[in-house]
Amino acid sequence: MLPLLIAEQIREGDAYTIAQEPISSVDLMERASRAFVGWFANRFPDKNEPITFYCGTGNNGGDGLAIARILCDHHYNNLHVVIARFSDKASADFNHNFERLKQTCVTITELGNGEEIPVDNSPVIIDALLGSGLNKPLSGDYERLVNYINDLDRTVVSVDVPTGFFSEGEVPKDTVAIKADLVITFQQPKINFLLPESAPYINCWEAVNIGIDEKFVQGLNSPYQFIEEKDIRQMLKPRHRFSNKGTYGHALIVAGQAKTMGAALLSSSGAAHAGAGLTTACIPESGLTALNSYQPEIMAIVRTGDELPDIEWDKFSSIAVGPGLGKEAGALELLNAIIKNYKKPLVIDADALNLLAENQELLTQLPAGSVLTPHMKEFDRLFGDHTNWWQRLQKAIVKAKELNLCILLKNDYTIVATPNGTAYFNSSGNAAMASGGMGDVLTGIIAALLGQKYAPEQACIIGAYIHGKAGDELALPNRMHVVLPGKLIAQLPITMAKLRA
């Protein structure tokens, strides 16, 4: 797993690497700049295309100067640097790279306080004004220059962090920051890159390795971790010979009403395709024909009216409740019965989450290790209104620990908050998956994994990843604009087999 660091920890990692490798700070800057250029040159191969660099006088600006010099060495021949001299201060590494840059083909303009910004006709702009150490909103000349660059409407590539965008913490509403088409960031993404507030400022990002000491970074024990494919490959268990359907658990999906049977069907089918040995759907009697037609492999427990169904609780390895269940009195009674009678971790989704929000005392009665799978609005109904995603992230960490639960907060980078105080960001998935029913499938997947004796934390991490990965394998190679849940379900066994290969 890739630790996600706050700005202070990034500086600690740099300092440790400088001291222990050993390497000078300016040589580490050189290494970072060469890593940037390696990726940039592949994306922008036209060496005659004009490129303008906007550089501050700190280390982010020093990176920009070094990148300009290295691109010049690579025979990019139309480079121009604008240095924002809005302060009398300059870092030693900036000054070193400034002297080196003056010996190259790059033209240099210096921009002082209040001076008119020169006309810029370059189609590509590299932003190296301010880096991850920013701790207050832009104002004055920096704000004016950033607005100017944004108004140019050119292709903008930011070095490490878009100027003005906070790498962690709350992003103020209407923040003035560079709107970057691409951010090439060093070592690992910044935490706020993975939250929705980044959308207006970052179209895409790429992290390049600059050789920061990995053991030291792991030793920082960051509460924020980024899940990679190699992590899932290590977690997934093989299927052995002489195993049978009993080996892989019996999942019960309590879901659906007469008008919302689709949610029950998708969730149950997701469980079956994610490897549950047996899957039973507890559904209204009116949905039985639909279930048998859609997925005959799934068994049924029929609910009649508001009567509680007769459920043999001990026969089930996992239970998920909520998709399409509704919020009527019968649904609440059924949820109460499940919480009272079943002592293994539950998966709580959709209408069951809304019932919990309206009956908060039930939250403390859930079995240890249970999994809540809210989207943003469901999360706020459960835990109060939040004005930004950093607040939600912190609240998820606190509540997961306080309630001894896993909270899977759906997002572009879905967050899994665990009782040990760690938040895991999922790295798979794409916008083509923004389709009704996807969450129902994920609920079934997690129930199936719990039934296969994965720990709740593992079930959430693996479930979120294979759900997104299946969507990636469908959408990305085929350039699909939309991936429907039913297609994703059919892809799940293929995706899981590839990850086990």
Side-chain angles (χ1 to χ4, degrees):
M1 295 180 189
L2 185 64
L4 302 172
L5 307 181
I6 62 174
E8 182 180 348
Q9 291 172 319
I10 292 170
R11 288 192 291 272
E12 288 178 24
D14 289 349
Y16 184 87
T17 301
I18 289 166
Q20 297 297 317
E21 190 167 330
I23 184 174
S24 68
S25 62
V26 75
D27 286 341
L28 182 61
M29 180 178 285
E30 184 79 2
R31 192 157 73 189
S33 299
R34 291 189 179 279
F36 181 104
V37 168
W39 212 93
F40 179 89
N42 285 328
R43 185 74 174 265
F44 299 89
D46 186 352
K47 296 184 178 182
N48 295 314
E49 188 171 50
I51 301 172
T52 299
F53 294 73
Y54 287 88
C55 300
T57 54
N59 280 351
N60 191 251
D63 289 327
L65 301 183
I67 291 163
R69 171 174 45 78
I70 295 165
L71 283 174
C72 180
D73 292 343
H74 283 66
H75 308 295
Y76 283 76
N77 56 30
N78 204 340
L79 306 177
H80 181 65
V81 166
V82 177
I83 296 175
R85 292 274 187 189
F86 299 151
S87 168
D88 294 334
K89 297 179 181 178
S91 73
D93 291 345
F94 171 89
N95 286 332
H96 178 89
N97 277 296
F98 181 58
E99 292 303 317
R100 295 187 70 183
L101 186 67
K102 288 193 288 189
Q103 311 305 316
T104 70
C105 65
V106 180
T107 61
I108 302 172
T109 299
E110 299 200 24
L111 182 65
N113 288 315
E115 292 183 358
E116 184 177 351
I117 302 168
V119 174
D120 190 340
N121 295 313
S122 297
V124 177
I125 289 171
I126 293 183
D127 156 43
L129 286 165
L130 297 170
S132 61
L134 185 71
N135 56 16
K136 61 182 180 180
L138 297 181
S139 60
D141 286 305
Y142 277 114
E143 182 179 9
R144 179 171 64 97
L145 180 54
V146 164
N147 283 327
Y148 170 81
I149 294 170
N150 286 338
D151 289 342
L152 290 174
D153 195 24
R154 308 285 165 74
T155 297
V156 178
V157 182
S158 287
V159 178
D160 200 31
V161 179
T163 293
F165 185 74
F166 292 177
S167 58
E168 74 264 349
E170 297 186 26
V171 178
K173 190 177 180 181
D174 301 322
T175 287
V176 174
I178 287 289
K179 296 177 180 178
D181 297 279
L182 170 66
V183 180
I184 301 177
T185 193
F186 300 137
Q187 203 69 26
Q188 66 273 311
K190 310 306 183 270
I191 298 165
N192 274 345
F193 289 10
L194 310 179
L195 299 177
E197 279 86 0
S198 69
Y201 307 102
I202 302 173
N203 187 39
C204 65
W205 57 265
E206 181 71 23
V208 293
N209 192 314
I210 64 170
I212 300 301
D213 190 283
E214 291 187 14
K215 287 185 178 179
F216 179 81
V217 170
Q218 292 288 347
L220 291 172
N221 296 317
S222 171
Y224 312 106
Q225 300 285 323
F226 191 63
I227 301 299
E228 301 176 291
E229 182 172 308
K230 64 183 181 181
D231 303 315
I232 306 303
R233 289 184 180 274
Q234 291 172 357
M235 289 183 193
L236 275 175
K237 303 172 185 176
R239 290 203 164 205
H240 296 294
R241 295 181 64 194
F242 303 110
S243 57
N244 56 66
K245 61 189 177 185
T247 308
Y248 302 110
H250 191 166
L252 174 63
I253 309 295
V254 183
Q257 289 182 304
K259 295 181 180 180
T260 53
M261 268 303 296
L265 299 179
L266 291 171
S267 189
S268 302
S269 186
H273 283 79
L278 294 166
T279 304
T280 294
C282 179
I283 56 172
E285 187 174 17
S286 58
L288 193 56
T289 300
L291 179 65
N292 288 334
S293 302
Y294 182 76
Q295 197 83 68
E297 296 89 347
I298 297 171
M299 298 175 288
I301 295 174
V302 173
R303 306 198 308 266
T304 304
D306 290 332
E307 294 181 18
L308 285 176
D310 186 16
I311 298 175
E312 297 177 54
W313 304 103
D314 291 341
K315 70 187 287 187
F316 297 106
S317 310
S318 64
I319 296 179
V321 55
L325 188 65
K327 291 169 48 183
E328 287 74 18
L332 178 58
E333 189 178 1
L334 181 54
L335 179 59
N336 268 304
I338 293 168
I339 294 171
K340 179 180 178 182
N341 291 288
Y342 195 73
K343 301 308 175 186
K344 297 176 185 176
L346 296 166
V347 185
I348 311 289
D349 185 29
D351 287 325
L353 290 172
N354 293 325
L355 288 170
L356 287 180
E358 294 173 0
N359 300 271
Q360 289 276 324
E361 70 281 359
L362 294 179
L363 271 172
T364 58
Q365 299 174 29
L366 294 172
S370 290
V371 177
L372 309 183
T373 62
H375 55 57
M376 180 186 78
K377 291 183 179 179
E378 290 166 339
F379 184 87
D380 284 3
R381 289 186 203 117
L382 280 166
F383 302 122
D385 290 335
H386 302 82
T387 59
N388 58 66
W389 273 80
W390 184 264
Q391 291 177 0
R392 291 187 185 93
L393 172 62
Q394 303 311 312
K395 181 65 70 68
I397 293 171
V398 168
K399 286 298 182 180
K401 197 170 184 178
E402 176 186 310
L403 297 169
N404 197 17
L405 305 169
C406 290
I407 299 174
L408 187 148
L409 178 52
K410 296 168 187 172
N411 182 14
D412 205 40
Y413 298 92
T414 287
I415 302 161
V416 177
T418 60
N420 68 3
T422 304
Y424 299 90
F425 287 81
N426 182 51
S427 61
S428 65
N430 61 84
M433 296 170 62
S435 179
M438 279 295 180
D440 302 323
V441 176
L442 179 57
T443 294
I445 293 170
I446 295 171
L449 294 170
L450 285 174
Q452 292 168 70
K453 298 181 181 178
Y454 287 93
E457 177 182 303
Q458 290 181 316
C460 291
I461 291 170
I462 296 169
Y465 188 87
I466 62 174
H467 181 256
K469 184 68 171 177
D472 289 343
E473 290 178 347
L474 288 170
L476 303 184
N478 304 306
R479 297 184 180 180
M480 293 176 68
H481 187 64
V482 175
V483 171
L484 293 179
K487 297 291 186 182
L488 185 140
I489 288 169
Q491 180 68 23
L492 283 171
I494 302 168
T495 297
M496 295 178 77
K498 289 179 180 177
L499 290 168
R500 279 297 316 151

